[in-house]
Amino acid sequence: MTETIASRTVRSPAAAPVLSGLGLFTVLLAAALPLIDFFIVNVALPTIGKDLSASEAVLELVVAGYGVSYAVLLVLGGRLGDLFGRRRLFLGGMAAFGLTSLACGLAPTAWTLVAARIAQGAASAAMLPQVLATIQSATQGQRRAKAMGLYGATAGLAMVAGQILGGVLVAADIAGTGWRAVFLVNVPVVVIGLFLAAKVVPETRSQHPEPIDVPGTFLLGASLLALLVPLTEGRAAGWPLWTWLSLAAFPGLASAFYAVERRADRQGRTPLVPPSLLALTSLRRGLVMILPFAIGFSGFMFVIAVALQSGAGLGPVAAGLALVPLAVTFFLASLAGPRLVARYGTRVVTAGSVIQAVGLGLIVLAVWRSWPHLGFVELLPGAAVAGAGQALQLPIIFRIILSEVPAARAGVGAGVMVTTQQSALALGVATLGTLFLSLVPGMGMRDALATTLLAQLAGVVLTGLLSLRLPRTIG
């Protein structure tokens, strides 16, 4: 058996796995599903609450249960792919995602839905790290740059499309399924994805498989739970004592995690997140940059959805369509990203932050001038400019983070990156969302929205300043 594994993992350059165009399409399809499902449920929550007689706190768990289990297990999912084979984990994770989506769509009670969403998040954590690890291991040079650009475009579009698609599906009420369609739509997509993946996604794995770091896995999970659960559940629960105790425990748990990982590294064992990986300048600086970007992105998506529906009186479809200009310009600008980076280097990220800041400024002006008559036309200039600016940041930051990660640790690198992104997405809803909802009673919807957008603008400025510390070229 050992000889068989060795023969599969030790390859000559001629036998190196190659990701075809159809293979890239397949893994990008899988990459879109978890991000779509993070956002697609937002517009369906009122209908879910009415149909299943769920309280606000339980509805928060429908969102938080998915996001937290997803974030907590991502690094472990990357390690398992390195150990057992990324294609195998990809297929298993995708199949589990389809089954758990079916369970969500058929859930008879609110608590059954919460349990199915937690399982769906775990399935996403098994599937998604294999996407980036496969791209890193089965592409080279310009093909890798193009693939990473497309991954970034897919990620950005998925986050916007989730909210749009959710509104359309709930309003369409296909065959009387109502909110259930936002989950059931995944099932045929997964069937197609599994068929394609079995044929066109190559198997890759680390040439030196590393065992699971049980203490590190436990402490990382505990750290993320201590931070994300109170932030996502605190507002709905009324900020009880346990939320503050949990937040107070986070620094200690995070410090213990780092100490355990550093000790394992020094003793020659294999930590879950090797400190040597964090020593890579490109990865470390890229991760720091992705925090304010993702916090602002998810916070904006949540706040604008609430404001357009509860304040401007738009339906879920109209509220979603107001974001179409952002999605279109994001896609078009992200396609140009690799060529711009080849010519101008990482200063494209700096330019992207400036462009996004201008777009946000235009949106704030539209809110002040047009409220409550705010819709597609009023948001068009700002959304279009902001989308282009975001596209010149996110795909390139992804590429920067993974540029120096060895192929043998591609799964770990991908897991660390996506965990940071997912945690920041959850933080964005918790922080900017809480700020917005807290300001509404005293300031009114218009001023609360404008103030929250200005807070996001500060995050965009921070991203731009951090980008100045990046190396001019990407390896």
Side-chain angles (χ1 to χ4, degrees), residues 57-411:
V58 175
L59 290 177
E60 288 280 349
L61 281 174
V62 172
V63 179
Y66 174 83
V68 171
S69 68
Y70 182 20
V72 164
L73 296 172
L74 273 165
V75 177
L76 179 61
R79 173 60 60 83
L80 291 173
D82 287 349
L83 184 61
F84 296 112
R86 292 152 190 154
R87 180 176 180 271
R88 181 180 300 177
L89 261 291
F90 179 79
L91 289 169
M94 180 176 276
F97 186 85
L99 291 173
T100 52
S101 295
L102 181 63
C104 289
L106 299 178
T109 67
W111 284 107
T112 307
L113 178 58
V114 169
R117 283 284 282 174
I118 292 171
Q120 189 187 37
S124 298
M127 175 175 64
L128 189 60
Q130 319 317 325
V131 173
L132 284 165
T134 299
I135 291 174
Q136 284 291 100
S137 301
T139 59
Q140 297 291 332
Q142 192 57 37
R143 290 191 71 248
R144 179 182 295 174
K146 182 179 179 181
M148 287 302 300
L150 288 172
Y151 174 86
T154 301
L157 281 173
M159 290 188 275
V160 181
Q163 217 142 288
I164 298 172
L165 182 61
V168 170
L169 288 174
V170 171
D173 192 22
I174 302 169
T177 54
W179 62 266
R180 298 179 186 274
V182 304
F183 301 113
L184 296 176
V185 71
N186 292 329
V187 177
V189 177
V190 165
V191 171
I192 295 170
L194 285 171
F195 174 78
L196 291 174
K199 292 181 175 295
V200 298
V201 175
E203 179 64 284
T204 63
R205 71 178 75 206
S206 172
Q207 293 190 6
H208 306 286
E210 301 167 335
I212 301 301
D213 171 19
V214 175
T217 301
F218 172 79
L219 285 170
L220 177 62
S223 300
L224 290 173
L225 286 171
L227 176 66
L228 295 178
V229 171
L231 286 178
T232 52
E233 278 294 292
R235 185 185 62 84
W239 296 106
L241 178 62
W242 70 263
T243 60
W244 299 109
L245 293 176
S246 181
L247 288 172
F250 169 70
L253 288 168
S255 298
F257 169 69
Y258 181 75
V260 165
E261 298 298 273
R262 186 172 58 178
R263 186 182 307 116
D265 213 15
R266 287 175 175 175
Q267 293 175 352
R269 292 182 282 115
T270 306
L272 183 69
V273 180
S276 56
L277 203 62
L278 297 176
L280 297 174
T281 301
S282 57
L283 182 137
R284 188 176 63 254
R285 292 182 180 177
L287 290 178
V288 171
M289 286 182 61
I290 211 170
L291 283 170
F293 181 91
I295 287 172
F297 198 119
S298 64
F300 172 82
M301 295 297 292
F302 173 80
V303 167
I304 202 71
V306 173
L308 290 178
Q309 292 181 77
S310 300
L314 300 183
V317 176
L321 291 178
L323 299 174
V324 167
L326 188 151
V328 171
T329 57
F330 188 105
F331 179 72
L332 294 176
S334 63
L335 294 180
R339 292 193 299 274
L340 292 173
V341 170
R343 183 170 182 180
Y344 300 107
T346 57
R347 289 299 175 261
V348 172
V349 178
T350 310
S353 66
V354 173
I355 294 170
Q356 184 187 0
V358 171
L360 273 175
L362 291 173
I363 293 174
V364 171
L365 286 176
V367 170
W368 270 326
R369 289 177 177 176
S370 303
W371 188 266
H373 307 292
L374 196 65
F376 178 89
V377 173
E378 291 77 16
L379 291 175
L380 174 61
V385 174
Q390 289 170 334
L392 296 179
Q393 296 173 80
L394 185 63
I396 300 167
I397 293 173
F398 283 160
R399 185 178 160 193
I400 290 167
I401 291 172
L402 296 178
S403 61
E404 296 179 304
V405 176
R409 287 181 165 176

